Amino acid sequence: MEMRMEVRFKAPILPRRYHFLFTSVIKSAMEISSPDFQKEMYYYGERSNKQIKPFTGSILLNNYELKNDTFIISGDVCLIISSYDPEFMIHLYNGFITKTEYFYKEFSLSVLQVRFLTEKLPSKNKALFLAHSPIALKSKSGRYLAIDDANYETELNYICNKIINAATRRDLLNPLRFNPVLMKKNIVQLQHDAFQTMNEKSVLYVESYSGTFILEGSVDDLKILTMGGIGNRRSEFFGNIELVNE
């Protein structure tokens, strides 16, 4: 069951580093719809857990200008969520229908529209994809990898195996082969209190890549990864990919 959702918001202003704002919005919508499901997904007792989340996403601001560290937005804000888990998506949809006003620090968002979209899934073991949100890959030492790093494909297989295991309770059926076609480097800034020891702005700088690439593997695995995304920090709006051509 292919699952992709579009949520449009009215948000007059947003912070330049908005990733954790939208993470908060997702959590809040889930809490309204199914607090038990939300708690199991995000928490272990009273502490945040690090389990693989069943979704990825991307964010598009329409008609904006950036002043200092604030986006001034005259259009709407489009949030795309993609997932392999229909239960999660139904809870999220119901949450956005039920709760239409969201607040994060001095920022506010109002839901304008919620709808499901058709998602194209691969039918062959090799396909061309577009990364709508940049792909971030982290080494076992915690370093974010450049796309030409010798370990890039190895680490991609490692994290994608964990995603497949979370979705299906099995491993990748075949190793993935990754070939960049036209990809651009992005340095994404994530701001959170958890990063306050790193620098004065509490910002983590994440090297990541957007654009087109060829991914080869089992058709069943490619379908799940198309819905759930690839790479690290998917639930913070990295690694949302779309099938372009086969």
Side-chain angles (χ1 to χ4, degrees), residues 64-152:
Y64 66 87
E65 58 178 320
L66 180 62
K67 290 186 177 180
N68 298 320
D69 279 342
T70 301
F71 286 109
I72 313 298
I73 307 164
S74 56
D76 60 9
V77 177
C78 180
L79 172 66
I80 300 293
I81 300 291
S82 182
S83 176
Y84 51 73
D85 185 343
E87 183 180 5
F88 162 76
M89 291 293 269
I90 293 301
H91 287 316
L92 187 61
Y93 177 84
N94 290 338
F96 280 128
I97 293 297
T98 304
K99 181 177 180 178
T100 58
E101 300 292 330
Y102 295 86
F103 302 93
Y104 182 87
K105 299 181 179 179
E106 69 268 34
F107 305 98
S108 63
L109 302 90
S110 301
V111 175
L112 299 175
Q113 183 186 48
V114 188
R115 62 172 181 156
F116 285 108
L117 304 175
T118 301
E119 184 163 34
K120 297 181 294 182
L121 297 180
S123 59
K124 300 179 180 178
N125 63 7
K126 186 177 182 180
L128 178 69
F129 291 89
L130 170 67
H132 282 292
S133 54
I135 300 165
L137 271 186
K138 192 163 60 172
S139 70
K140 292 179 178 63
S141 65
R143 177 175 59 90
Y144 286 94
L145 297 179
I147 204 166
D148 58 356
D149 190 286
N151 292 320
Y152 195 88

Coordinates of all heavy atoms in Angstrom, one line a residue, residues 64-152:
Y64 N 8.8 33.1 -0.5 CA 9.4 33.5 0.7 C 10.7 34.4 0.5 O 11.2 34.5 -0.6 CB 9.8 32.3 1.5 CG 10.9 31.5 0.9 CD1 12.3 31.8 1.2 CD2 10.7 30.5 0.0 CE1 13.3 31.1 0.5 CE2 11.7 29.8 -0.6 CZ 13.0 30.1 -0.3 OH 14.0 29.4 -0.9
E65 N 11.1 35.1 1.6 CA 12.4 35.7 1.6 C 13.0 35.5 3.0 O 12.3 35.3 4.0 CB 12.3 37.2 1.3 CG 11.4 38.0 2.3 CD 11.4 39.5 2.0 OE1 12.5 40.0 1.7 OE2 10.3 40.1 2.1
L66 N 14.3 35.4 3.0 CA 15.0 35.1 4.2 C 15.6 36.4 4.7 O 16.4 37.0 4.1 CB 16.1 34.1 3.9 CG 17.0 33.6 5.1 CD1 16.1 33.0 6.2 CD2 18.1 32.7 4.7
K67 N 15.2 36.8 6.0 CA 15.8 37.9 6.6 C 16.4 37.5 7.9 O 15.8 36.9 8.8 CB 14.7 38.9 6.9 CG 14.1 39.6 5.7 CD 13.1 40.7 6.1 CE 12.6 41.5 4.9 NZ 11.6 42.6 5.2
N68 N 17.7 37.7 8.0 CA 18.5 37.2 9.1 C 18.3 35.7 9.2 O 18.6 34.9 8.3 CB 18.2 37.9 10.4 CG 18.5 39.4 10.3 OD1 19.5 39.8 9.7 ND2 17.6 40.2 10.9
D69 N 17.8 35.2 10.3 CA 17.5 33.7 10.4 C 16.1 33.4 10.4 O 15.7 32.3 10.9 CB 18.2 33.2 11.7 CG 19.7 33.0 11.6 OD1 20.2 32.9 10.4 OD2 20.4 32.9 12.6
T70 N 15.3 34.2 9.7 CA 13.8 34.0 9.7 C 13.3 34.0 8.2 O 13.6 34.9 7.5 CB 13.1 35.0 10.5 OG1 13.5 35.0 11.8 CG2 11.6 34.8 10.5
F71 N 12.5 33.0 7.9 CA 11.8 33.0 6.6 C 10.5 33.8 6.7 O 9.7 33.6 7.6 CB 11.4 31.6 6.1 CG 12.6 30.8 5.6 CD1 13.1 29.8 6.4 CD2 13.2 31.1 4.4 CE1 14.2 29.0 5.9 CE2 14.3 30.4 3.9 CZ 14.8 29.3 4.7
I72 N 10.3 34.8 5.8 CA 9.0 35.6 5.7 C 8.3 35.0 4.5 O 8.8 35.0 3.4 CB 9.3 37.1 5.5 CG1 10.3 37.6 6.5 CG2 8.0 37.8 5.6 CD1 9.9 37.5 7.9
I73 N 7.1 34.4 4.8 CA 6.5 33.5 3.8 C 5.1 34.1 3.4 O 4.2 34.3 4.2 CB 6.2 32.1 4.3 CG1 7.5 31.5 4.9 CG2 5.6 31.2 3.2 CD1 7.4 30.3 5.7
S74 N 5.0 34.5 2.1 CA 3.7 35.0 1.6 C 2.8 33.9 1.0 O 1.6 34.1 0.9 CB 4.0 36.1 0.6 OG 4.8 35.6 -0.5
G75 N 3.4 32.8 0.6 CA 2.6 31.7 0.1 C 2.3 30.7 1.2 O 2.3 31.0 2.4
D76 N 2.2 29.4 0.8 CA 1.9 28.4 1.8 C 3.2 27.6 2.1 O 4.2 27.7 1.4 CB 0.7 27.5 1.5 CG 0.9 26.8 0.2 OD1 2.0 26.8 -0.4 OD2 -0.1 26.2 -0.3
V77 N 3.1 26.7 3.0 CA 4.2 25.7 3.3 C 3.7 24.3 3.1 O 2.6 23.9 3.6 CB 4.7 25.9 4.8 CG1 5.7 24.8 5.1 CG2 5.2 27.3 5.0
C78 N 4.4 23.6 2.2 CA 4.0 22.2 1.9 C 4.9 21.2 2.6 O 6.1 21.2 2.4 CB 4.0 22.0 0.4 SG 3.5 20.4 -0.2
L79 N 4.2 20.3 3.4 CA 4.9 19.2 4.0 C 4.5 17.9 3.4 O 3.3 17.6 3.3 CB 4.5 19.2 5.5 CG 5.0 18.0 6.4 CD1 6.5 18.0 6.5 CD2 4.4 18.1 7.8
I80 N 5.5 17.2 2.9 CA 5.2 15.8 2.3 C 5.7 14.8 3.3 O 6.9 14.8 3.7 CB 5.9 15.7 1.0 CG1 5.5 16.7 0.0 CG2 5.7 14.3 0.4 CD1 4.0 16.6 -0.4
I81 N 4.9 13.8 3.6 CA 5.3 12.7 4.5 C 5.1 11.4 3.7 O 4.0 11.2 3.0 CB 4.4 12.6 5.7 CG1 4.6 13.9 6.6 CG2 4.7 11.4 6.6 CD1 5.9 14.1 7.2
S82 N 6.0 10.5 3.7 CA 6.0 9.2 3.0 C 6.3 8.1 4.0 O 7.2 8.3 4.8 CB 6.9 9.2 1.8 OG 6.8 8.0 1.1
S83 N 5.6 7.0 3.9 CA 5.8 6.0 4.9 C 5.4 4.6 4.3 O 4.5 4.5 3.5 CB 5.0 6.2 6.2 OG 5.1 5.2 7.1
Y84 N 6.0 3.5 4.9 CA 5.6 2.2 4.5 C 4.6 1.6 5.6 O 4.1 0.5 5.4 CB 6.8 1.3 4.5 CG 7.7 1.3 5.7 CD1 7.3 0.8 6.9 CD2 8.9 2.0 5.6 CE1 8.1 0.9 8.1 CE2 9.7 2.1 6.8 CZ 9.3 1.5 8.0 OH 10.1 1.6 9.1
D85 N 4.2 2.4 6.6 CA 3.4 2.0 7.7 C 2.0 2.7 7.6 O 1.8 3.8 7.9 CB 4.0 2.3 9.0 CG 3.2 1.8 10.2 OD1 2.1 1.4 10.0 OD2 3.8 1.7 11.3
P86 N 1.0 1.9 7.1 CA -0.4 2.6 6.9 C -1.0 3.0 8.3 O -1.7 4.0 8.3 CB -1.2 1.5 6.3 CG -0.5 0.2 6.5 CD 1.0 0.6 6.6
E87 N -0.7 2.2 9.4 CA -1.3 2.6 10.7 C -0.7 4.0 11.1 O -1.5 4.9 11.5 CB -0.9 1.6 11.7 CG -1.6 1.9 13.1 CD -1.3 0.9 14.2 OE1 -0.5 -0.1 13.9 OE2 -1.8 1.0 15.3
F88 N 0.6 4.2 10.9 CA 1.2 5.5 11.2 C 0.5 6.6 10.4 O 0.1 7.7 10.9 CB 2.7 5.5 11.0 CG 3.3 6.8 10.9 CD1 3.5 7.6 12.0 CD2 3.6 7.4 9.6 CE1 4.1 8.9 11.9 CE2 4.2 8.6 9.5 CZ 4.4 9.4 10.6
M89 N 0.3 6.4 9.1 CA -0.2 7.4 8.3 C -1.7 7.7 8.6 O -2.1 8.9 8.5 CB -0.1 7.0 6.8 CG 1.3 6.9 6.3 SD 2.1 8.6 6.2 CE 1.7 9.0 4.5
I90 N -2.5 6.7 9.0 CA -3.8 7.0 9.3 C -3.9 7.8 10.6 O -4.7 8.8 10.7 CB -4.6 5.7 9.5 CG1 -4.8 5.0 8.1 CG2 -6.0 5.9 10.1 CD1 -5.5 5.8 7.1
H91 N -3.1 7.5 11.6 CA -3.0 8.2 12.8 C -2.6 9.7 12.6 O -3.2 10.6 13.1 CB -2.1 7.6 13.8 CG -2.6 6.3 14.5 ND1 -3.9 6.2 14.9 CD2 -1.9 5.2 14.7 CE1 -4.0 5.0 15.4 NE2 -2.9 4.3 15.3
L92 N -1.6 9.9 11.7 CA -1.1 11.2 11.4 C -2.2 12.0 10.7 O -2.4 13.2 11.0 CB 0.2 11.1 10.5 CG 0.9 12.4 10.3 CD1 1.4 13.1 11.6 CD2 2.1 12.2 9.3
Y93 N -2.8 11.4 9.7 CA -3.9 12.1 9.0 C -5.0 12.5 9.9 O -5.4 13.7 9.9 CB -4.5 11.1 7.9 CG -5.7 11.7 7.1 CD1 -5.5 12.5 6.0 CD2 -7.0 11.4 7.5 CE1 -6.5 13.0 5.3 CE2 -8.0 11.9 6.8 CZ -7.8 12.7 5.7 OH -8.9 13.3 5.0
N94 N -5.4 11.6 10.8 CA -6.5 12.0 11.7 C -6.1 13.1 12.7 O -6.9 13.9 13.1 CB -6.9 10.7 12.6 CG -7.7 9.7 11.7 OD1 -8.3 10.1 10.7 ND2 -7.7 8.5 12.1
G95 N -4.8 13.1 13.0 CA -4.3 14.1 13.9 C -4.3 15.5 13.2 O -4.7 16.5 13.9
F96 N -3.9 15.5 12.0 CA -4.0 16.8 11.3 C -5.4 17.3 11.0 O -5.6 18.5 10.9 CB -3.2 16.7 9.9 CG -1.7 16.9 10.1 CD1 -0.8 15.9 9.6 CD2 -1.1 17.9 10.8 CE1 0.5 16.0 9.7 CE2 0.2 18.0 11.0 CZ 1.1 17.1 10.4
I97 N -6.3 16.4 10.8 CA -7.7 16.7 10.6 C -8.3 17.3 11.9 O -9.1 18.2 11.9 CB -8.5 15.5 10.1 CG1 -8.1 15.2 8.7 CG2 -10.0 15.8 10.1 CD1 -8.3 16.2 7.7
T98 N -7.9 16.7 13.0 CA -8.5 17.0 14.4 C -7.8 18.3 14.9 O -8.5 19.2 15.4 CB -8.2 15.9 15.4 OG1 -8.8 14.7 14.9 CG2 -8.8 16.2 16.7
K99 N -6.5 18.4 14.8 CA -5.8 19.6 15.3 C -5.3 20.4 14.1 O -4.4 19.8 13.4 CB -4.7 19.1 16.3 CG -3.9 20.3 16.9 CD -2.8 19.8 17.8 CE -2.1 21.0 18.4 NZ -1.1 20.6 19.4
T100 N -5.7 21.6 14.0 CA -5.3 22.4 12.8 C -4.4 23.6 13.2 O -3.9 24.3 12.3 CB -6.5 22.9 12.1 OG1 -7.3 23.7 13.0 CG2 -7.3 21.7 11.6
E101 N -4.1 23.8 14.5 CA -3.2 24.9 14.9 C -2.0 24.3 15.7 O -2.2 23.6 16.6 CB -4.0 25.9 15.8 CG -5.2 26.5 15.1 CD -4.8 27.5 14.0 OE1 -3.7 28.1 14.0 OE2 -5.6 27.6 13.0
Y102 N -0.8 24.8 15.3 CA 0.4 24.3 15.9 C 1.3 25.4 16.3 O 1.4 26.4 15.6 CB 1.1 23.3 15.0 CG 0.3 22.1 14.7 CD1 -0.6 22.0 13.7 CD2 0.5 20.9 15.5 CE1 -1.4 20.9 13.4 CE2 -0.3 19.8 15.2 CZ -1.2 19.8 14.2 OH -2.0 18.7 14.0
F103 N 2.0 25.3 17.4 CA 2.9 26.3 17.9 C 4.2 25.7 18.4 O 4.3 24.6 18.9 CB 2.2 27.0 19.1 CG 0.9 27.6 18.8 CD1 -0.3 26.9 19.0 CD2 0.7 28.9 18.3 CE1 -1.5 27.4 18.7 CE2 -0.5 29.4 18.0 CZ -1.6 28.7 18.2
Y104 N 5.3 26.4 18.0 CA 6.6 26.0 18.4 C 7.4 27.3 18.6 O 7.6 28.1 17.7 CB 7.2 25.3 17.2 CG 8.6 24.8 17.5 CD1 8.9 23.5 18.1 CD2 9.8 25.5 17.1 CE1 10.1 23.0 18.3 CE2 11.0 25.0 17.3 CZ 11.2 23.8 17.9 OH 12.5 23.3 18.1
K105 N 7.7 27.5 19.9 CA 8.4 28.8 20.3 C 7.5 29.9 19.9 O 6.4 30.0 20.2 CB 9.8 28.8 19.8 CG 10.7 27.7 20.4 CD 12.1 27.7 19.9 CE 13.0 26.6 20.4 NZ 14.3 26.6 20.0
E106 N 8.1 30.9 19.1 CA 7.3 32.1 18.7 C 6.6 31.8 17.3 O 6.0 32.8 16.8 CB 8.2 33.3 18.6 CG 9.2 33.3 17.5 CD 10.6 32.8 18.0 OE1 10.6 31.9 18.8 OE2 11.6 33.3 17.5
F107 N 6.6 30.6 16.8 CA 6.1 30.4 15.5 C 4.8 29.6 15.5 O 4.6 28.8 16.4 CB 7.2 29.5 14.7 CG 8.5 30.2 14.6 CD1 9.5 29.8 15.5 CD2 8.8 31.2 13.7 CE1 10.8 30.3 15.5 CE2 10.0 31.8 13.7 CZ 11.0 31.4 14.6
S108 N 3.9 29.9 14.6 CA 2.6 29.3 14.5 C 2.3 28.8 13.1 O 2.8 29.4 12.1 CB 1.5 30.2 15.0 OG 1.4 31.3 14.1
L109 N 1.6 27.7 13.0 CA 1.2 27.1 11.7 C -0.3 26.7 11.8 O -0.7 26.1 12.8 CB 2.0 25.9 11.4 CG 3.6 26.0 11.3 CD1 4.2 25.7 12.7 CD2 4.1 25.0 10.3
S110 N -1.0 27.0 10.7 CA -2.4 26.6 10.6 C -2.5 25.7 9.4 O -2.1 26.0 8.3 CB -3.3 27.8 10.4 OG -3.2 28.7 11.4
V111 N -3.2 24.5 9.6 CA -3.4 23.6 8.5 C -4.4 24.1 7.5 O -5.5 24.5 7.9 CB -3.9 22.2 9.1 CG1 -4.2 21.2 8.0 CG2 -2.8 21.6 10.0
L112 N -4.1 24.1 6.3 CA -5.0 24.5 5.2 C -5.6 23.4 4.5 O -6.8 23.4 4.1 CB -4.2 25.4 4.2 CG -3.6 26.7 4.7 CD1 -2.8 27.3 3.5 CD2 -4.6 27.6 5.2
Q113 N -4.8 22.3 4.3 CA -5.3 21.1 3.5 C -4.5 19.9 3.9 O -3.3 20.0 4.1 CB -5.2 21.4 2.0 CG -5.7 20.3 1.1 CD -5.5 20.6 -0.4 OE1 -4.3 20.9 -0.7 NE2 -6.5 20.5 -1.2
V114 N -5.2 18.8 3.9 CA -4.5 17.5 4.1 C -5.0 16.5 3.1 O -6.3 16.4 2.9 CB -4.8 16.9 5.5 CG1 -3.9 15.6 5.7 CG2 -4.5 17.9 6.6
R115 N -4.2 15.8 2.3 CA -4.6 14.9 1.3 C -3.6 13.8 1.1 O -2.4 14.0 1.3 CB -5.0 15.6 0.0 CG -3.8 16.3 -0.6 CD -4.2 16.8 -2.0 NE -3.1 17.4 -2.7 CZ -3.0 17.5 -4.0 NH1 -3.9 17.1 -4.8 NH2 -1.9 18.1 -4.6
F116 N -4.0 12.6 0.7 CA -3.1 11.6 0.3 C -2.8 11.7 -1.2 O -3.6 12.1 -2.0 CB -3.8 10.2 0.5 CG -3.8 9.8 2.0 CD1 -4.9 9.8 2.7 CD2 -2.6 9.5 2.6 CE1 -4.9 9.4 4.0 CE2 -2.6 9.1 3.9 CZ -3.8 9.1 4.7
L117 N -1.6 11.3 -1.6 CA -1.1 11.4 -2.9 C -0.8 10.0 -3.5 O -0.5 9.1 -2.7 CB 0.2 12.3 -3.0 CG 0.1 13.7 -2.4 CD1 1.5 14.3 -2.5 CD2 -0.9 14.5 -3.2
T118 N -0.8 9.9 -4.8 CA -0.4 8.6 -5.4 C 1.1 8.6 -5.4 O 1.8 9.6 -5.8 CB -0.9 8.5 -6.8 OG1 -2.3 8.6 -6.8 CG2 -0.5 7.2 -7.5
E119 N 1.7 7.5 -5.0 CA 3.1 7.3 -5.0 C 3.5 6.2 -6.0 O 3.0 5.1 -5.9 CB 3.6 6.9 -3.6 CG 5.1 6.9 -3.5 CD 5.6 6.9 -2.0 OE1 4.9 6.4 -1.1 OE2 6.7 7.5 -1.8
K120 N 4.4 6.6 -6.9 CA 4.9 5.6 -7.9 C 6.0 4.7 -7.2 O 6.9 5.2 -6.5 CB 5.6 6.3 -9.1 CG 4.6 7.2 -9.9 CD 5.4 7.8 -11.0 CE 6.4 8.8 -10.6 NZ 7.1 9.4 -11.7
L121 N 5.8 3.4 -7.4 CA 6.7 2.4 -6.8 C 7.4 1.6 -7.9 O 6.9 1.4 -8.9 CB 6.0 1.4 -5.8 CG 5.3 2.1 -4.6 CD1 4.6 1.0 -3.8 CD2 6.3 2.8 -3.8
P122 N 8.7 1.3 -7.6 CA 9.5 0.5 -8.7 C 8.9 -0.9 -8.9 O 8.4 -1.5 -8.0 CB 10.9 0.5 -8.1 CG 10.7 0.7 -6.6 CD 9.5 1.5 -6.4
S123 N 9.1 -1.3 -10.1 CA 8.7 -2.7 -10.5 C 9.9 -3.5 -11.1 O 9.8 -4.6 -11.4 CB 7.6 -2.7 -11.6 OG 8.0 -2.0 -12.7
K124 N 11.0 -2.8 -11.1 CA 12.3 -3.4 -11.6 C 13.4 -3.3 -10.5 O 13.2 -2.5 -9.6 CB 12.7 -2.8 -12.9 CG 11.7 -3.0 -14.0 CD 12.2 -2.3 -15.3 CE 11.1 -2.5 -16.4 NZ 11.5 -1.8 -17.7
N125 N 14.4 -4.0 -10.7 CA 15.5 -4.0 -9.6 C 16.5 -2.9 -9.8 O 17.5 -2.8 -9.1 CB 16.2 -5.3 -9.6 CG 16.9 -5.7 -10.9 OD1 17.0 -4.9 -11.8 ND2 17.4 -6.9 -10.9
K126 N 16.3 -2.0 -10.8 CA 17.2 -0.9 -11.0 C 16.3 0.3 -11.5 O 15.5 0.2 -12.4 CB 18.2 -1.2 -12.1 CG 19.3 -0.2 -12.3 CD 20.3 -0.8 -13.3 CE 21.5 0.2 -13.5 NZ 22.4 -0.3 -14.5
A127 N 16.5 1.5 -10.8 CA 15.6 2.6 -11.2 C 16.4 3.9 -10.9 O 17.3 4.0 -10.1 CB 14.3 2.6 -10.4
L128 N 15.9 5.0 -11.6 CA 16.4 6.3 -11.4 C 15.5 7.0 -10.3 O 14.2 7.0 -10.5 CB 16.3 7.1 -12.7 CG 16.8 8.6 -12.6 CD1 18.3 8.7 -12.3 CD2 16.5 9.3 -13.9
F129 N 16.1 7.6 -9.3 CA 15.3 8.3 -8.3 C 15.8 9.8 -8.1 O 16.9 10.1 -8.5 CB 15.6 7.6 -6.9 CG 15.0 6.2 -6.8 CD1 15.7 5.1 -7.2 CD2 13.7 6.1 -6.3 CE1 15.2 3.8 -7.1 CE2 13.2 4.8 -6.2 CZ 13.9 3.7 -6.6
L130 N 14.9 10.5 -7.5 CA 15.2 11.9 -7.2 C 15.0 12.1 -5.7 O 14.0 11.7 -5.1 CB 14.2 12.9 -7.9 CG 14.2 14.3 -7.5 CD1 15.5 15.0 -7.9 CD2 13.0 15.1 -8.1
A131 N 16.0 12.7 -5.1 CA 16.0 13.0 -3.6 C 15.3 14.3 -3.4 O 15.9 15.4 -3.7 CB 17.4 12.9 -3.0
H132 N 14.1 14.3 -2.9 CA 13.4 15.6 -2.6 C 14.0 16.3 -1.4 O 13.9 17.5 -1.3 CB 11.9 15.4 -2.5 CG 11.2 15.2 -3.8 ND1 11.1 16.2 -4.7 CD2 10.6 14.1 -4.3 CE1 10.4 15.7 -5.8 NE2 10.1 14.5 -5.6
S133 N 14.4 15.5 -0.4 CA 15.1 16.1 0.7 C 16.5 15.4 0.7 O 16.6 14.2 0.3 CB 14.4 15.9 2.0 OG 14.0 14.5 2.2
P134 N 17.5 16.1 1.1 CA 18.9 15.6 0.9 C 19.2 14.3 1.7 O 18.6 14.1 2.8 CB 19.8 16.7 1.4 CG 18.9 17.6 2.2 CD 17.5 17.5 1.7
I135 N 20.0 13.4 1.2 CA 20.4 12.2 1.8 C 21.6 12.4 2.6 O 22.6 12.9 2.2 CB 20.7 11.1 0.7 CG1 19.4 10.9 -0.2 CG2 21.1 9.8 1.3 CD1 19.7 10.1 -1.5
A136 N 21.5 12.0 3.9 CA 22.6 12.1 4.8 C 23.0 10.7 5.3 O 22.2 9.9 5.6 CB 22.2 12.9 6.1
L137 N 24.3 10.4 5.2 CA 24.8 9.1 5.6 C 25.9 9.3 6.6 O 26.9 10.1 6.4 CB 25.4 8.4 4.4 CG 24.5 7.5 3.6 CD1 25.3 6.7 2.6 CD2 23.7 6.5 4.5
K138 N 25.8 8.6 7.7 CA 26.7 8.7 8.8 C 27.6 7.5 9.0 O 27.1 6.4 8.9 CB 26.0 9.0 10.1 CG 26.8 9.5 11.3 CD 26.0 10.1 12.4 CE 24.9 9.2 12.9 NZ 24.2 9.8 14.1
S139 N 28.9 7.7 9.2 CA 29.7 6.5 9.4 C 29.6 6.0 10.9 O 28.9 6.7 11.7 CB 31.2 6.9 9.2 OG 31.6 7.8 10.3
K140 N 30.1 4.9 11.2 CA 30.0 4.3 12.5 C 30.7 5.2 13.6 O 30.4 5.2 14.7 CB 30.6 2.9 12.5 CG 29.7 1.9 11.7 CD 30.3 0.5 11.8 CE 29.5 -0.5 11.0 NZ 29.4 -0.2 9.6
S141 N 31.6 6.0 13.1 CA 32.3 7.0 14.0 C 31.5 8.3 14.2 O 31.9 9.1 15.0 CB 33.7 7.3 13.5 OG 33.6 8.0 12.3
G142 N 30.4 8.4 13.5 CA 29.5 9.6 13.7 C 29.8 10.7 12.7 O 29.1 11.7 12.8
R143 N 30.7 10.5 11.7 CA 31.0 11.5 10.7 C 30.1 11.4 9.5 O 29.8 10.3 9.1 CB 32.4 11.3 10.3 CG 32.9 12.3 9.2 CD 34.4 12.1 9.0 NE 34.7 10.7 8.5 CZ 34.7 10.3 7.3 NH1 34.4 11.1 6.3 NH2 35.0 9.0 7.0
Y144 N 29.5 12.5 9.1 CA 28.7 12.5 7.9 C 29.6 12.4 6.6 O 30.6 13.1 6.5 CB 27.8 13.7 7.8 CG 26.7 13.6 8.8 CD1 26.8 14.2 10.1 CD2 25.5 12.9 8.5 CE1 25.8 14.0 11.0 CE2 24.5 12.7 9.5 CZ 24.7 13.3 10.7 OH 23.7 13.1 11.6
L145 N 29.2 11.5 5.7 CA 30.1 11.1 4.6 C 29.8 11.9 3.4 O 28.7 12.3 3.0 CB 29.8 9.6 4.3 CG 30.2 8.6 5.4 CD1 29.9 7.2 4.9 CD2 31.6 8.7 5.8
A146 N 30.9 12.2 2.7 CA 30.9 12.8 1.3 C 30.4 11.7 0.4 O 30.7 10.5 0.6 CB 32.2 13.3 0.9
I147 N 29.8 12.1 -0.7 CA 29.2 11.1 -1.6 C 30.3 10.3 -2.3 O 30.0 9.2 -2.8 CB 28.3 11.8 -2.6 CG1 27.3 10.8 -3.2 CG2 29.1 12.5 -3.7 CD1 26.1 11.4 -3.9
D148 N 31.5 10.8 -2.4 CA 32.6 10.1 -3.0 C 33.5 9.3 -2.0 O 34.5 8.8 -2.4 CB 33.5 11.0 -3.9 CG 34.1 12.1 -3.1 OD1 33.7 12.2 -1.9 OD2 34.9 12.9 -3.6
D149 N 33.0 9.2 -0.8 CA 33.7 8.5 0.2 C 33.7 7.0 -0.1 O 32.7 6.5 -0.6 CB 33.1 8.7 1.6 CG 33.9 8.1 2.7 OD1 33.9 6.9 2.9 OD2 34.5 8.9 3.5
A150 N 34.8 6.3 0.1 CA 34.9 4.9 -0.2 C 33.9 4.0 0.5 O 33.6 2.9 0.0 CB 36.4 4.4 0.1
N151 N 33.5 4.5 1.7 CA 32.5 3.7 2.5 C 31.1 4.1 2.3 O 30.2 3.6 3.0 CB 32.9 3.9 4.0 CG 34.2 3.2 4.3 OD1 34.5 2.1 3.8 ND2 35.0 3.9 5.1
Y152 N 30.8 5.0 1.3 CA 29.4 5.5 1.2 C 28.4 4.4 0.9 O 27.4 4.3 1.6 CB 29.4 6.6 0.1 CG 28.2 7.4 0.1 CD1 28.1 8.6 0.8 CD2 27.0 7.1 -0.7 CE1 27.0 9.4 0.8 CE2 25.9 7.9 -0.7 CZ 25.9 9.0 0.1 OH 24.7 9.8 0.1

